[in-house]
Amino acid sequence: LYEHSGSTIFIASTLPPCPCLSIPVPKWQGNPNIQPEDIVSYELGLRSQFTDNKVSSDIKLFTYRISDQMVGVKTSGINTVVNLGSTRVTGLELALDFSPIPKLDIKSGFSFVAPDSSDPDFEDSIPDKTAFINADYRWNSRHKYSASFYYIDEMQWLSTSDGNVIKPVKKLDLRYAYIIDQKSETRIELIGRNLLEDYNDYTLDNLAEPIFQLRISGGF
């Protein structure tokens, strides 16, 4: 609806002490001729389970094509959107879940994609490789531990296509939970996020640093 009929105008004025001050006045006008994007997708997958469901895997090959892409343009000082070009993404996804010992569950996943687009910004917005692994260990009914690692390849968000290339992200989160009452799920959690290294999130100015949380939660 916004791309079709939206209209946004910011009006700004200068004050007498400094009439030379230049204030940008961004404008947006929807395009009533815009058409919906079309997506055609094909997938081929294999789901497997072994050893009494203690090991499961999922392998998927996929490809999809987006045509009539909505692309932002600027004409006569007004921002709008038009249908322009297409993007094809081909990739492989792998997932593996297993329990090597009792009380320990491990989930992992990996994806590799190869984008090909008429717009370089679309290609840059898709990370080539992503991966994660998560481990949950239940020591007993009171104590639970978990660790999660994430990897995202270099990318650039479409809405920030002005040189804000986000370098590869390596993220480690740890959590310890003490279960006070199982029936009401009352628990105390100590959580650490972003424990490996600082990384840029969305823009170069937004730096994600280590975060530590103490959380108490429960139900009734």
Side-chain angles (χ1 to χ4, degrees):
L1 290 176
Y2 185 68
E3 284 87 352
H4 183 274
S5 305
S7 179
T8 304
I9 301 175
F10 295 93
I11 301 176
S13 61
T14 57
L15 299 176
C18 187
C20 61
L21 182 63
S22 176
I23 300 178
V25 185
K27 298 179 180 179
W28 165 274
Q29 182 62 52
N31 179 3
N33 297 318
I34 197 73
Q35 298 298 314
E37 293 180 335
D38 290 327
I39 301 178
V40 178
S41 176
Y42 300 94
E43 297 180 0
L44 177 63
L46 174 64
R47 175 76 177 176
S48 304
Q49 292 183 320
F50 309 96
T51 61
D52 298 329
N53 295 329
K54 291 184 178 179
V55 178
S56 63
S57 65
D58 195 356
I59 304 174
K60 182 170 66 174
L61 298 171
F62 67 90
T63 181
Y64 63 86
R65 183 176 184 271
I66 306 172
S67 57
D68 288 334
Q69 287 180 160
M70 294 184 184
V71 179
V73 297
K74 189 172 185 178
T75 58
S76 302
I78 297 178
N79 295 310
T80 188
V81 65
V82 296
N83 294 115
L84 184 64
S86 62
T87 296
R88 177 176 292 280
V89 178
T90 303
L92 167 69
E93 289 184 355
L94 304 173
L96 178 65
D97 301 345
F98 61 102
S99 299
I101 60 176
K103 301 181 180 180
L104 176 61
D105 296 324
I106 297 177
K107 299 180 182 295
S108 61
F110 172 81
S111 69
F112 174 79
V113 299
D116 181 17
S117 178
S118 58
D119 187 337
D121 289 341
F122 276 77
E123 288 190 20
D124 294 339
S125 72
I126 302 175
D128 292 339
K129 294 180 288 293
T130 60
F132 81 91
I133 183 169
N134 177 81
D136 287 305
Y137 180 69
R138 303 175 300 281
W139 185 21
N140 54 36
S141 60
R142 295 287 186 184
H143 303 276
K144 294 184 178 182
Y145 305 86
S146 66
S148 301
F149 173 78
Y150 306 90
Y151 175 83
I152 303 175
D153 218 351
E154 181 177 287
M155 63 169 295
Q156 179 172 284
W157 294 94
L158 277 175
S159 56
T160 62
S161 55
D162 52 4
N164 280 319
V165 177
I166 304 301
K167 297 299 181 182
V169 172
K170 300 175 183 178
K171 186 175 183 290
L172 175 66
D173 297 340
L174 300 177
R175 181 178 72 100
Y176 163 71
Y178 176 73
I179 312 301
I180 299 175
D181 182 73
Q182 289 186 340
K183 185 176 181 180
S184 63
E185 297 186 352
T186 302
R187 65 185 63 194
I188 299 176
E189 297 172 281
L190 179 61
I191 303 170
R193 304 183 190 276
N194 313 331
L195 300 181
L196 278 183
E197 59 186 17
D198 298 347
Y199 62 89
N200 301 105
D201 188 10
Y202 192 63
T203 68
L204 298 180
D205 297 330
N206 188 21
L207 187 66
E209 300 176 320
I211 298 174
F212 296 93
Q213 297 174 301
L214 178 63
R215 182 166 63 191
I216 301 176
S217 60
F220 57 87

